[in-house]
Amino acid sequence: MTMLKLTVNGKPVQSDIAPTTLLVDLLRGPLALTGTHTGCDTAQCGACTVLIDGRSVKSCSILALQAQGRSVTTVEGLAKGDQMHPLQEAFMACHGLQCGFCTPGMMMAAAGLLAANPKPSEADIVHALDGNICRCTGYVNIVAAVQQAADVMANGAKAGVQ
């Protein structure tokens, strides 16, 4: 077993793990953060997407030890207390979800995009979500939700809100 120390959703975490533990298994298992979904286990579907130091990563494709000393954000970490993140609100308002299985991964991929590019074009959004599969929608509402969240975040940042 190896001691892992990292920050998850703003809180320091320590866990004794096997060196072969995948990040998704640490999140869903000992940390009980089940918003990160396991879909394909081959990094194809994107349901397990989280942010590591602000960049979207498929957590089924990396060892938990690769996150040693880093900051991991899961879908549970988007909201601030009772206040939903603009992405969460936009996915609801734009009907950017159907069954909801892909939604956490879509939101986290979008959060990574918006952290790097606060004013993405439609093409930027489509490219950023390219590694996330939704089997229920035609992606139109998902792209609209990300664009709406980007607009809200840009206007909120101007008004001093985020």
Side-chain angles (χ1 to χ4, degrees), residues 80-106:
K80 300 295 182 219
D82 290 340
Q83 170 121 19
M84 285 195 296
H85 187 278
L87 277 167
Q88 293 167 314
E89 291 177 341
F91 266 71
M92 284 180 22
C94 295
H95 308 287
L97 52 98
Q98 294 278 311
C99 78
F101 191 81
C102 72
T103 305
M106 289 283 186

Side-chain angles (χ1 to χ4, degrees), residues 77-149:
L78 284 180
K80 300 295 182 219
D82 290 340
Q83 170 121 19
M84 285 195 296
H85 187 278
L87 277 167
Q88 293 167 314
E89 291 177 341
F91 266 71
M92 284 180 22
C94 295
H95 308 287
L97 52 98
Q98 294 278 311
C99 78
F101 191 81
C102 72
T103 305
M106 289 283 186
M107 285 185 191
M108 297 313 295
L113 167 67
L114 296 179
N117 179 2
K119 295 183 180 182
S121 66
E122 182 176 329
D124 294 333
I125 295 168
V126 169
H127 179 72
L129 299 178
D130 187 42
N132 293 71
I133 296 172
C134 175
R135 295 173 189 215
C136 299
T137 72
Y139 298 93
V140 172
N141 293 349
I142 294 169
V143 172
V146 176
Q147 189 62 64
Q148 178 176 308

Side-chain angles (χ1 to χ4, degrees), residues 8-9 23-39 47-50 59 74-77 100-101 103-105:
V8 179
N9 297 331
L23 181 58
V24 69
D25 294 329
L26 171 72
L27 295 170
R28 291 187 58 80
L31 301 184
L33 296 169
T34 57
T36 302
H37 293 162
T38 302
C48 66
T49 303
V50 298
S59 63
T74 69
V75 71
E76 291 93 343
F101 191 81
T103 305

Side-chain angles (χ1 to χ4, degrees), residues 59-73:
S59 63
C60 77
S61 68
I62 69 165
L63 297 172
L65 286 174
Q66 290 176 275
Q68 182 80 266
R70 299 172 82 184
S71 178
V72 176
T73 305

